[in-house]
Amino acid sequence: MVMLHSIAALLVPALAAVGSASAYAPDTVVLHVGKVLTMNVSDEIHSPGMVVLEDGKITYAGPIEAREGAPDPVLALNTWAVPGFVDLHTHIHSGGFGDINDMVHAVNPELRAAPAYRPGNGVIEVGRAGGVTTLFGIPGSGTNMGGFGLIYKSRSTGGFQASVVRDPGGLKVAQDSNPQRRNASDVGVTRAGMEWNLRDVADRALGAYRQGRRDPALENLSRVVSGDLPVLIHTAGSEGVVNTARMWKVKYGAVAVISHGSFDGWKVAPALAAIDIPVNHGPRTIDYYSSREGRIVGTASEFVDAGVPLFSLNTDSGVIAEEYFFLQGSMSARYGADPYQMLRAVTIHPALSFNLAHRVGSLEVGKDADVVLWDGDPLDPRSSVCSVYIDGDLEYDRDRDGQLF
Amino acid sequence: MHLRPNQQRRASRPMRLLVAASLFLTPAALASAPLDDEPAKEAESEEDKEEVLALKGGEIHTGLGGVLRDATILVRDGKIEAFGYDVDVPEDAEVVDVSGMRVYPGLIAVGSFGLFGSSGNLDDSVDPYNQNMTLALAAGITTAVDGNTVAKLKRGHVQGLVVNTSAFESLSYSNGNPQGQLKVEEDLKGAADYIRAFRAWEDEKKSNKEAKEPSKKGVDQKSVKILRGEVRPRFNADSRTDLLEIAHLAQRFGFRPIISGCREGWTVADELGRAGATAIVTPRSRRPKDESLLRDGGSSIENAATLYSHGVNVVVVPGSRGISLGGIVGTDLLHLPVEAGFAIRGGLPELAGLRSITIEAARVLGVDYRIGSIEVGKDADLIVTDGDLLHYQTFVQWAIVDGEIVYDKQAEMFFAHIRPRPESSLAPAERMDAGEEAPAEAPEEEPVEENPEDETPEEETTGGGDGEEPQPSEDPEEPEDPEEPEDPEESEDPDESSTTAGN
């Protein structure tokens, strides 16, 4: 009896709490929107819909329902709630193109992009007004191995700690075109030389990993060849792309993502699909000259149609300014791809291909509350972003901050 | 010379006749044979003289606000003869069924390069089968300014392209050049005095035969034309200061300026509106704010909308005035409607967006009496699209210049494979906006082995190995990746130059 009583005493306040405001944290945000594009595996779209953001996480994404005790909902029924975009190939962490290439050595497994990072810099802010919330900020492609990038959110508040998702976030490798050391009397003028540069250091890192030997210079690279950290590889052209894919995915078994895949790279899309390697495509999204077919090839649709898993897009910002990330999807859709696939290519696919999907890329319970409200189809240049929530914080609001983009 | 037969043409008729004819358009042929000129036309058979084209069943967007659904446009001898619901189509007319499609006035690019295959005098030298001309037509552009010449993209013709040889009268009036500003003011003042004296003389002449005409000596004739309203001067200006001074100058002397760039126009839109300005803007072009100034500044996506709402006429041009097939998409003439879309993003009404690349462009060039809208009597420069012109997936199906079909999407290699037009040419392919409920039969295929045609990577590496390397960059201004941060061409960073200063 005494025991029952005490249980009841415990239960009563708990039950009361459910019905009262105290069940919701004061910073809880309830969004009522015209459409929720969850981008989850079952492609759920709720129209109209509701998203609840609590403690920086999404606790609900579904049809509109009454919530007793919850804060008044934000009524934005003329907007679409879309996951914040995830761009895996960006160079704007320093606020521009500076500070991204250390051009002395051909391979730089020791280097990290983090020291050059300026959280919430002006270029990032405009990108955020274009719906981009998660970025992989990486070294340039001046060398074969530029170093390790960091994955960060486009937050302006909270500084480094609040914005960085993973550091190092992954490795940046460049295996074609730019890193060719044409003017340096050095190994690496040819594909053969570049491959040797990379294989040599990767083998040493793998050796250290297998022997359990600690080598500070190769520590992070060991995590790549052991499959712990992903690697994004700048590569282009059909020969270059296949070469790269085989080396990183087949030989080392790394979590490898092909980046660019430009020019006639699309022609080997079936070969990439066969070994199940994700492609992060851009900034070029059409091909006319390289394939010499006389037609203007929308390369995104070629990769998707060939069955490449986890096809995603990038801006290579600032080659294309970050805020035009959506336009990479629009133009790919223009030139033959399915628009919904292109929305995946800027949200859940990049997240999945870079081991980030547990936190970002879709509107699902438990994920980071990175929600972007658009006043229409996000791929339409005529639509714009109304609000950007990152980790539940309203980081951009068109009415509050003025229309940045 | 007429390059097409006068026969009932099917919608998808390829343009092989045009292509075949191009073989003969060598300079020698031009010299020896009259090609497109009047005597040759006279010599053609009688039946070829009356060219009648009817576009039936389309949704006609006049460009002035009118929308006529399931209507017909009748074109005779290159002019719009009639359009509407009760148009009698003559039996000998060439009829194109455009049901389910939209008809717009041809677009006008107020700046271009490389569309005519030559520079200089387009009356003397033009490549009528220039690839870029075809691609610009594919973008819906039927008239473009090349240099200072307004010309039609009259594919297959070497004559009759030029509409106007003096598109703009440029004037420089920049705060950075006070001497130049002084000169402009003096010229205008001299011209104003001259015009006043001239008018007085005209009055006096009626009573006094001996009255002496005022001397033109030392009077800047360009300024006279400007003040008489015969031409509107065009300025290149972006900064608020320059824009304000131009607006004041225009109001002081009473002319209407055309301002190219106008990136900080939104900060002084009321002044520009009062001056009756027309702004030629690129909604996406950026200009950093001068942080040392407290007042508003820098570029704004809302620029076009703000200018428009203050009475400034807005014309849109893309950032790149050429055709770029280097791979980076969406910023060149091939995507002129996309650029207008960005003006709409910033709040410009949809119709003003359409007008910014049609009638307003024609007005600024002084050719709106001929082109820029669908009106009876105007040139039959039309485009037929498979949807809303300003939607990112819309393609131009046919482009018509002076009543002649000069571009057919299905007859050219470039885009024929993308959402091909059904042969019936009825109803365009089903299209959905991103995020529309996807049809049940098209679920996402997560990485499924598609058994990609037995192509092993090995075969690929050797198979393509003809030693041909993909060029790292077809266009040197579009780097694959930033490599040389010190190269200003590769940097889009507005802060780049001030990096050291900021540290």
Side-chain angles (χ1 to χ4, degrees):
Chain A
M1 189 65 196
V2 174
M3 215 199 313
L4 276 177
H5 180 80
S6 58
I7 289 171
L10 284 170
L11 277 176
V12 168
L15 286 169
V18 171
S20 79
S22 64
Y24 291 92
D27 59 351
T28 297
V29 178
V30 179
L31 302 169
H32 285 190
V33 296
K35 191 179 280 198
V36 177
L37 291 190
T38 63
M39 306 310 293
N40 66 10
V41 281
S42 38
D43 289 331
E44 276 176 319
I45 294 170
H46 306 285
S47 182
M50 178 167 109
V51 186
V52 181
L53 320 178
E54 285 180 85
D55 286 333
K57 299 285 177 187
I58 295 168
T59 55
Y60 178 83
I64 292 179
E65 56 178 46
R67 287 295 181 93
E68 210 175 306
D72 286 343
V74 176
L75 294 176
L77 289 162
N78 55 345
T79 67
W80 301 21
V82 179
F85 293 164
V86 181
D87 190 350
L88 292 184
H89 197 132
T90 75
H91 301 287
I92 56 169
H93 51 279
S94 67
F97 260 4
D99 243 3
I100 58 169
N101 279 300
D102 216 285
M103 296 287 282
V104 178
H105 304 294
V107 291
N108 303 282
E110 315 88 342
L111 302 186
R112 287 159 60 226
Y117 175 43
R118 284 204 288 136
N121 66 57
V123 189
I124 295 172
E125 280 182 341
V126 184
R128 179 175 68 212
V132 182
T133 55
T134 304
L135 303 93
F136 184 35
I138 52 178
S141 56
T143 63
N144 284 137
M145 189 176 285
F148 285 80
L150 81 165
I151 290 161
Y152 63 95
K153 300 265 184 86
S154 58
R155 295 179 62 104
S156 287
T157 58
F160 189 101
Q161 287 299 334
S163 63
V164 169
V165 176
R166 197 164 74 206
D167 177 36
L171 174 64
K172 166 71 186 299
V173 164
Q175 216 165 342
D176 205 285
S177 312
N178 289 2
Q180 285 174 264
R181 296 167 83 79
R182 298 182 189 88
N183 302 321
S185 308
D186 202 350
V187 177
V189 179
T190 62
R191 288 203 177 86
M194 287 188 287
E195 202 211 52
W196 165 248
N197 282 342
L198 291 165
R199 194 153 44 87
D200 176 40
V201 69
D203 280 345
R204 281 190 276 129
L206 191 59
Y209 171 73
R210 284 183 179 151
Q211 292 160 18
R213 178 160 47 81
R214 187 167 182 277
D215 183 338
L218 298 175
E219 208 166 23
N220 288 329
L221 186 55
S222 293
R223 292 178 62 191
V224 173
V225 290
S226 65
D228 178 28
L229 272 181
V231 54
L232 186 82
I233 312 128
H234 155 118
T235 183
S238 49
E239 308 96 313
V241 167
V242 172
N243 209 19
T244 300
R246 280 172 46 73
M247 174 173 171
W248 290 96
K249 175 83 184 186
V250 179
K251 178 175 160 59
Y252 291 109
V255 179
V257 177
I258 297 284
S259 199
H260 302 314
S262 310
F263 312 117
D264 64 347
W266 60 271
K267 287 199 167 181
V268 295
L272 301 179
I275 59 170
D276 219 24
I277 187 168
V279 172
N280 177 248
H281 191 52
R284 288 176 172 76
T285 53
I286 60 168
D287 177 43
Y288 177 70
Y289 296 113
S290 303
S291 48
R292 298 193 176 96
E293 293 193 350
R295 64 188 176 111
I296 292 170
V297 179
T299 42
S301 67
E302 296 289 339
F303 282 109
V304 172
D305 293 349
V308 165
L310 302 181
F311 174 84
S312 61
L313 290 163
N314 68 46
T315 56
D316 199 352
S317 59
V319 173
I320 290 178
E322 193 60 57
E323 60 271 26
Y324 298 117
F325 192 28
F326 83 94
L327 192 64
Q328 295 289 75
S330 332
M331 291 297 106
S332 294
R334 172 174 183 76
Y335 293 111
D338 170 64
Y340 188 76
Q341 284 288 348
M342 293 304 101
L343 271 183
R344 287 169 167 261
V346 293
T347 54
I348 188 66
H349 279 185
L352 282 166
S353 49
F354 233 59
N355 294 347
L356 288 165
H358 60 295
R359 292 195 51 184
V360 298
S362 60
L363 301 182
E364 292 179 84
V365 172
K367 286 201 181 186
D368 293 3
D370 299 350
V371 185
V372 181
L373 303 187
W374 294 79
D375 63 9
D377 174 2
L379 295 186
D380 194 322
R382 294 171 291 181
S383 309
S384 62
V385 171
C386 306
S387 312
V388 178
Y389 292 89
I390 300 179
D391 303 316
D393 298 328
L394 183 60
E395 287 282 331
Y396 169 72
D397 186 79
R398 195 173 61 185
D399 296 333
R400 183 190 70 188
D401 307 326
Q403 187 173 348
L404 277 182
F405 176 60
Chain B
M1 173 176 168
H2 288 254
L3 295 169
R4 62 182 183 80
N6 185 28
Q7 64 195 27
Q8 175 90 5
R9 185 193 339 228
R10 287 315 305 157
S12 59
R13 191 187 70 89
M15 298 187 60
R16 60 181 100 77
L17 276 172
L18 288 177
V19 175
S22 72
L23 298 173
F24 302 106
L25 289 173
T26 59
L30 288 177
S32 60
L35 268 176
D36 200 25
D37 49 2
E38 289 314 308
K41 235 176 209 167
E42 309 285 322
E44 297 271 337
S45 59
E46 199 62 29
E47 58 168 14
D48 216 24
K49 272 187 78 178
E50 285 267 284
E51 310 245 341
V52 186
L53 172 72
L55 304 178
K56 273 184 78 170
E59 184 177 299
I60 298 170
H61 291 245
T62 63
L64 301 171
V67 178
L68 293 82
R69 297 200 167 79
D70 196 9
T72 297
I73 297 191
L74 191 69
V75 172
R76 189 184 298 273
D77 282 341
K79 302 282 179 190
I80 297 169
E81 185 172 84
F83 68 96
Y85 300 105
D86 301 309
V87 176
D88 288 328
V89 178
E91 267 188 15
D92 63 340
E94 175 185 351
V95 178
V96 180
D97 182 353
V98 296
S99 311
M101 309 227 178
R102 296 191 184 194
V103 185
Y104 291 93
L107 310 185
I108 299 166
V110 296
S112 79
F113 62 84
L115 303 187
F116 297 94
S118 76
S119 55
N121 189 345
L122 296 182
D123 271 329
D124 291 346
S125 160
V126 65
D127 171 5
Y129 294 100
N130 187 286
Q131 175 175 300
N132 284 347
M133 186 188 289
T134 310
L135 287 165
L137 286 166
I141 297 165
T142 54
T143 300
V145 176
D146 180 282
N148 209 29
T149 300
V150 184
K152 293 201 182 189
L153 278 61
K154 209 168 168 179
R155 190 165 174 241
H157 293 262
V158 292
Q159 290 189 354
L161 289 80
V162 173
V163 180
N164 181 355
T165 51
S166 53
F168 294 110
E169 192 73 71
S170 291
L171 207 55
S172 173
Y173 192 73
S174 167
N175 192 251
N177 178 10
Q179 298 290 323
Q181 281 186 313
L182 207 59
K183 174 84 171 65
V184 169
E185 283 167 38
E186 280 170 1
D187 283 350
L188 286 169
K189 194 161 178 313
D193 291 344
Y194 168 77
I195 292 171
R196 222 170 283 127
F198 186 85
R199 283 188 190 142
W201 168 69
E202 278 188 322
D203 278 348
E204 197 189 342
K205 208 167 49 164
K206 290 170 193 158
S207 53
N208 176 10
K209 290 269 187 248
E210 302 297 302
K212 196 161 172 261
E213 183 180 346
S215 166
K216 285 182 186 170
K217 203 174 168 206
V219 179
D220 179 53
Q221 288 309 305
K222 187 161 92 174
S223 299
V224 172
K225 279 163 77 180
I226 290 169
L227 295 189
R228 281 188 166 147
E230 290 162 16
V231 297
R232 294 177 61 190
R234 185 183 71 167
F235 302 85
N236 284 310
D238 282 310
S239 80
R240 174 195 161 101
T241 316
D242 282 352
L243 294 173
L244 264 183
E245 292 190 353
I246 290 166
H248 291 160
L249 184 78
Q251 288 173 72
R252 202 166 111 211
F253 286 99
F255 65 86
R256 297 184 56 200
I258 297 164
I259 302 172
S260 265
C262 208
R263 284 185 287 187
E264 290 188 348
W266 61 281
T267 64
V268 290
D270 48 350
E271 289 284 349
L272 294 172
R274 211 170 292 143
T278 296
I280 300 176
V281 300
T282 300
R284 276 185 277 176
S285 81
R286 288 213 240 158
R287 175 189 172 89
K289 180 184 186 311
D290 183 345
E291 296 293 350
S292 63
L293 301 174
L294 274 175
R295 63 188 189 215
D296 283 338
S299 51
S300 163
I301 190 76
E302 295 174 288
N303 191 30
T306 307
L307 288 167
Y308 177 81
S309 66
H310 286 85
V312 177
N313 295 327
V314 174
V315 176
V316 164
V317 284
S320 155
R321 312 286 159 88
I323 299 284
S324 165
L325 297 180
I328 291 178
V329 185
T331 59
D332 60 348
L333 279 186
L334 205 44
H335 303 88
L336 178 58
V338 169
E339 195 67 45
F342 278 95
I344 295 166
R345 183 190 195 94
L348 190 71
E350 293 264 337
L351 178 59
L354 173 60
R355 290 175 63 110
S356 74
I357 50 178
T358 52
I359 189 68
E360 293 301 344
R363 287 173 68 180
V364 86
L365 300 172
V367 294
D368 53 315
Y369 67 100
R370 280 183 63 181
I371 58 174
S373 59
I374 296 181
E375 290 177 86
V376 170
K378 276 197 170 182
D379 293 4
D381 293 358
L382 307 166
I383 53 174
V384 181
T385 67
D386 54 13
D388 178 357
L389 175 70
L390 297 168
H391 190 276
Y392 58 91
Q393 277 184 289
T394 297
F395 270 100
V396 170
Q397 298 289 334
W398 291 283
I400 295 156
V401 174
D402 288 337
E404 183 181 333
I405 296 178
V406 288
Y407 170 80
D408 175 353
K409 173 170 173 273
Q410 293 312 117
E412 308 292 336
M413 285 288 281
F414 304 114
F415 305 116
H417 61 290
I418 301 168
R419 294 184 289 280
R421 191 167 69 225
E423 216 40 59
S424 67
S425 87
L426 294 167
E430 195 68 28
R431 196 182 61 202
M432 286 187 309
D433 281 348
E436 291 296 323
E437 280 76 355
E441 66 272 17
E444 156 66 346
E445 291 156 25
E446 283 295 347
V448 198
E449 302 75 77
E450 289 245 36
N451 193 16
E453 306 153 16
D454 301 318
E455 273 181 293
T456 67
E458 286 88 346
E459 279 168 0
E460 286 300 332
T461 30
T462 52
D466 57 353
E468 181 84 39
E469 289 184 3
Q471 291 306 303
S473 178
E474 299 286 353
D475 180 343
E477 291 187 7
E478 297 172 352
E480 178 66 38
D481 227 9
E483 184 178 2
E484 306 285 354
E486 53 277 357
D487 184 349
E489 289 248 309
E490 293 193 356
S491 169
E492 299 197 353
D493 174 21
D495 301 329
E496 184 80 0
S497 54
S498 61
T499 308
T500 41
N503 289 341

